[in-house]
Amino acid sequence: MLEGGKISAAQLACMMYLSLQATATLASPALIYGIAQNDMYLAPLLGCLGGFLTVYIAMFLHRQYPSQTFFQYSESILGPWLGKLVSLSFLLVCLLMNAYQLRQFSELMNLAFMTLSPPAVFTCTMVLVGSIAVRLGVEIIGRLSLLFTPIIVIIVVILVLPLIQGMEPDQVLPFLDKGAMPVVKGAAMLQIWFPLYIYSTMFLPYVSNINKAARWLSYSVCWVTLTFTITFLYVIMSIGAATQLFSYPFLLLSRYAAIASFMTHLDSLIMIMWVLDVFIRTIVMYYAAVSGIAQMCKLPSYKPLILPIGLWIVILSFWSIPDLSTFNENIGKLLIFVYCYAHLGIPLFLYVAALIRKIIAPNKQPPTTSNQGVQPNGTR
């Protein structure tokens, strides 16, 4: 392993929870409403199956190759050449996802909160601060995730409670008016987020209480499902069919929330939640990218790669997206299939290949990684 840090299963669960919620709470309501209409709140109940499947695959592969991460056991399962090819395609999607979510973050910050600051300032600042956290290792990432999770939950509660009295439960009716197929399609669209649990494979070798990892990751999937469902119900019962007219309906509703008569402008809480969420997701993807490259290239340390990869993420976030409208109309639809291929298709392929190897050679021990014995400072 590339470092000697340790995290707990609870920290890993919080890490994955925040990674999914980074863009989901703001972007998903309008997207899913366009598919499932007023039955959108049912989509997470079916879509969470993708999350549970990903957790199962991640834990199965970890049990077969306990000292290795995704990039390492890809080669152990498929061989050096095919394994590197699969790992490279996964790495490219990881970099693109990090770049795109940073671009979305910077554009929203510029449009909704700090209109005089150019988007590049937010992207560069997030990558710079993220590079410090990644350099400090998995322990810092785990502790920050555990610290930020209750803060974000409290913010969501503060934003939801003031508008409960104005909600209209009749907005969710009629029930399944167009049948079950729109709900199924909405659940399929949610696979942009739920299979992100595959990134837990990059952190499982560092979990100290690994026997509790499967349980905590399952809890995390349940938290995400509950958050999706509550958010969708909150939006649909508040603004109904107008949901599809706004790119970020949850942000819109937060502007009308007020506590008593003197606590207004609670949309600033959305900015706090947005920054914390995106920061955790950025450093999780960032760490996965730099450590994955180091493991693919058999390097003794990932730290020399941090700044070059960060610069590449900043470049990708602006050069690969001309503007957000073009991204949403063209590139965004294509990325749904790219994300599902990388985060669900590749893990399923590795699972089947590992299962076949286990059946054919049940007593054969998996090869050890060449990075074993590397100390945290990069020396052997």
Side-chain angles (χ1 to χ4, degrees):
M1 294 187 288
L2 293 175
E3 61 172 290
K6 289 293 181 181
I7 59 175
S8 68
Q11 289 174 337
L12 178 62
C14 292
M15 191 188 306
M16 292 297 105
Y17 172 75
L18 295 184
S19 296
L20 266 71
Q21 292 303 123
T23 56
T25 303
L26 294 181
S28 62
L31 182 65
I32 304 303
Y33 183 87
I35 300 172
Q37 303 295 313
N38 57 314
D39 293 316
M40 59 188 288
Y41 66 95
L42 299 174
L45 303 178
L46 184 61
C48 67
L49 296 178
F52 286 115
L53 176 62
T54 308
V55 169
Y56 170 76
I57 293 174
M59 293 306 305
F60 174 85
L61 293 174
H62 176 73
R63 292 188 185 103
Q64 297 300 309
Y65 304 90
S67 63
Q68 300 183 20
T69 65
F70 180 91
F71 292 93
Q72 292 171 317
Y73 56 62
S74 294
E75 296 185 32
S76 299
I77 296 172
L78 304 175
W81 294 105
L82 182 58
K84 276 188 170 59
L85 182 62
V86 168
S87 297
L88 183 61
S89 63
F90 184 88
L91 175 66
L92 291 175
V93 174
C94 175
L95 291 173
L96 284 174
M97 174 169 275
N98 209 353
Y100 290 157
Q101 66 102 12
L102 279 175
R103 177 64 180 273
Q104 186 181 18
F105 163 76
S106 61
E107 292 284 352
L108 179 60
M109 291 292 290
N110 172 256
L111 292 174
F113 300 109
M114 302 180 184
T115 56
L116 298 181
S117 301
V121 172
F122 304 108
T123 302
C124 295
T125 302
M126 184 64 73
V127 171
L128 181 61
V129 177
S131 65
I132 298 174
V134 171
R135 185 175 182 83
L136 293 175
V138 294
E139 287 190 5
I140 292 299
I141 300 175
R143 290 175 183 179
L144 288 175
S145 301
L146 191 62
L147 174 65
F148 290 165
T149 298
I151 297 175
I152 291 174
V153 170
I154 292 172
I155 289 175
V156 172
V157 171
I158 291 175
L159 292 174
V160 170
L161 287 180
L163 294 180
I164 287 181
Q165 60 181 1
M167 292 182 183
E168 300 178 5
D170 292 343
Q171 295 278 13
V172 302
L173 299 175
F175 180 74
L176 293 179
D177 182 42
K178 298 182 179 179
M181 189 52 63
V183 176
V184 174
K185 292 180 180 179
M189 186 64 68
L190 286 175
Q191 301 315 304
I192 297 175
W193 290 282
F194 276 110
L196 291 180
Y197 279 91
I198 196 60
Y199 285 97
S200 64
T201 57
M202 299 301 298
F203 300 91
L204 283 172
Y206 305 104
V207 176
S208 56
N209 51 342
I210 191 63
N211 58 316
K212 298 181 180 179
R215 187 200 319 165
W216 275 101
L217 286 175
S218 299
Y219 290 161
S220 181
V221 176
C222 294
W223 300 340
V224 171
T225 305
L226 181 62
T227 305
F228 268 126
T229 305
I230 291 175
T231 301
F232 290 172
L233 283 172
Y234 173 65
V235 170
I236 193 66
M237 287 193 295
S238 297
I239 58 177
T243 301
Q244 60 186 337
L245 303 178
F246 304 98
S247 298
Y248 306 104
F250 193 81
L251 173 61
L252 172 72
L253 289 173
S254 69
R255 296 183 185 276
Y256 293 95
I259 299 177
S261 59
F262 57 90
M263 292 184 65
T264 58
H265 299 289
L266 296 183
D267 54 322
S268 59
L269 294 177
I270 282 282
M271 183 181 70
I272 297 173
M273 182 183 74
W274 182 243
V275 171
L276 297 181
D277 258 354
V278 171
F279 176 68
I280 294 298
R281 180 165 173 172
T282 297
I283 59 180
V284 167
M285 301 284 186
Y286 199 169
Y287 181 87
V290 295
S291 62
I293 294 174
Q295 290 161 355
M296 287 173 59
C297 299
K298 305 297 188 294
L299 300 178
S301 176
Y302 65 84
K303 293 181 179 179
L305 299 172
I306 293 176
L307 290 180
I309 296 301
L311 178 60
W312 183 242
I313 290 172
V314 172
I315 293 173
L316 276 177
S317 68
F318 289 96
W319 282 6
S320 58
I321 307 176
D323 55 76
L324 283 185
S325 60
T326 303
F327 172 78
N328 293 330
E329 293 175 4
N330 302 311
I331 305 175
K333 296 178 181 179
L334 175 62
L335 281 181
I336 295 172
F337 300 99
V338 174
Y339 290 164
C340 288
Y341 154 76
H343 301 144
L344 196 56
I346 291 179
L348 277 172
F349 178 61
L350 290 177
Y351 170 75
V352 172
L355 200 60
I356 293 173
R357 287 177 63 93
K358 183 180 179 181
I359 295 173
I360 294 176
N363 296 323
K364 186 177 179 180
Q365 295 294 326
T368 58
T369 174
S370 61
N371 282 329
Q372 287 181 346
V374 179
Q375 302 299 322
N377 61 1
T379 60
R380 296 183 181 275

